[in-house]
Amino acid sequence: MRNQLKLVAESYDKAIDLGRRGIDLYKELPEYITSDPNYLLFQKMQMDGMLSDSGWQEIIDYLSPAIDMKFIDLGCCLNLMFRGYDNWPSTYYGVDISSKTIQLLNGFVEKHHLTIGSLNCGSMHETPYDTNFFDIGSCIGSLEYFKKDFIEKAIMEAHRILKPYGKFVLDVPDLGSPEFQITMMIEDYLGRTDQFDMPSQEFEDMLSNYFVIVNKEKVGPMIQYFLSCKK
C-alpha cells in the first residue's frame, strides 16, 4: 500500500512538473496505446468530457453546497483550479498525496485571494480532521489506484469525518468495460497502475456498511455513487 501511494504521488508530481513546461502526457502516448482498438473510444471520452468528471453537474446538484457547509475533496488533484470548486459557496478542504499538487493549489489560492479551509498533503485514508466535521464530500478519480484493503480504509475515513446523513460522491472503475480497459493501459504507462479489483456487488456490499447508496451512474470508464453517511 505504501509503495503504491508513493508511485501515485510521484506520477502526479511528474505530471505537474511537465505541465509547467507545457507538456501534456496524454498527447505523447506510445504507439501500442494509440493503435489499440479502444483508443478511439478514449478520444471520444476526452472530447465528451467523460474522463475527468469531478465537475459533473450531477455532483453539484446532489451535494448542494451552501455557505454554511464544509466540503472535503479527497484525492483532490486540481479540482479547485479547473472544476469550478473555487466558486462553490461551501468551505473547501482538499487532500492529495502529491506534494506538488498541493503546492500548486496553495499558489492558486494565494494568487486569487481565496478563502478556504485547508489543503493537506497526505493519504485519504489518514486525514487530520475531526470526526463528524464535514457536511459534504467527494472522492473522484482516486480509488481506482488501490486494492480492497486500502479502499475500505479510505471509505471508513470518509465515513468518520462526515456528519450523519452527510452527502458523499465517489467513483470506482467499471471493471471489464472497454472504457476502463483503455484508460487502465494509459494509467499504467503514466506510472500509476490501476489496482482496483472488486466486482460491483462486492464493492457495494462493503460500501453499504457505511453509506446508503442513493443513486449510481456510469460515467465513461467509471461508476459514480451518490451516497448518504449512515451513523
Side-chain angles (χ1 to χ4, degrees):
M1 181 180 73
R2 294 293 175 185
N3 185 59
Q4 180 68 355
L5 284 167
K6 181 174 180 288
L7 290 175
V8 172
E10 289 175 347
S11 175
Y12 278 101
D13 283 349
K14 178 182 177 181
I16 294 290
D17 286 339
L18 292 175
R20 291 181 186 275
R21 293 157 47 195
I23 299 173
D24 183 350
L25 287 173
Y26 286 99
K27 296 180 180 178
E28 305 287 340
L29 297 173
E31 192 271 338
Y32 77 87
I33 291 178
T34 58
S35 64
D36 187 275
N38 288 324
Y39 184 67
L40 289 177
L41 182 59
F42 172 78
Q43 291 180 306
K44 184 177 188 306
M45 288 188 294
Q46 274 188 315
M47 292 177 57
D48 294 343
M50 301 295 282
L51 289 173
S52 182
D53 50 48
S54 301
W56 203 35
Q57 185 62 43
E58 282 80 354
I59 294 177
I60 302 172
D61 292 343
Y62 179 69
L63 296 180
S64 300
I67 198 167
D68 59 343
M69 290 181 174
K70 297 183 183 74
F71 165 59
I72 181 63
D73 188 7
L74 297 173
C76 62
C77 198
L78 298 178
N79 294 331
L80 188 65
M81 294 176 62
F82 298 128
R83 298 293 173 248
Y85 288 14
D86 55 324
N87 295 318
W88 286 21
S90 50
T91 302
Y92 182 88
Y93 293 76
V95 173
D96 200 277
I97 197 68
S98 163
S99 62
K100 294 190 177 182
T101 292
I102 296 299
Q103 181 184 45
L104 188 59
L105 289 177
N106 276 318
F108 177 78
V109 167
E110 182 177 352
K111 178 180 179 180
H112 294 276
H113 307 289
L114 300 179
T115 299
I116 65 168
S118 70
L119 293 166
N120 180 66
C121 183
S123 174
M124 69 182 78
H125 82 295
E126 295 175 335
T127 75
Y129 306 112
D130 291 338
T131 298
N132 299 336
F133 188 73
F134 293 102
D135 302 277
I136 54 176
S138 68
C139 180
I140 302 296
S142 296
L143 293 177
E144 62 263 34
Y145 302 123
F146 303 101
K147 294 182 179 181
K148 177 180 178 179
D149 288 349
F150 178 90
I151 290 169
E152 183 156 20
K153 289 176 181 176
I155 289 172
M156 288 173 64
E157 180 67 356
H159 176 266
R160 182 187 71 80
I161 61 180
L162 279 166
K163 295 177 180 179
Y165 307 106
K167 293 180 178 180
F168 193 64
V169 181
L170 61 76
D171 66 356
V172 295
D174 181 15
L175 285 184
S177 69
E179 296 95 338
F180 181 61
Q181 287 176 355
I182 186 63
T183 55
M184 184 169 59
M185 287 178 62
I186 293 169
E187 293 291 284
D188 184 61
Y189 168 72
L190 296 176
R192 44 181 189 257
T193 302
D194 291 324
Q195 294 191 346
F196 185 83
D197 57 355
M198 300 178 69
S200 292
Q201 190 59 58
E202 181 183 1
F203 174 73
E204 291 175 12
D205 288 344
M206 182 266 288
L207 189 61
S208 65
N209 292 323
Y210 310 100
F211 292 92
V212 174
I213 300 174
V214 177
N215 193 22
K216 66 178 182 179
E217 299 280 349
K218 178 174 167 60
V219 182
M222 311 295 282
I223 300 174
Q224 207 160 78
Y225 290 87
F226 299 80
L227 310 170
S228 177
C229 185
K230 62 181 186 182
K231 293 188 175 181

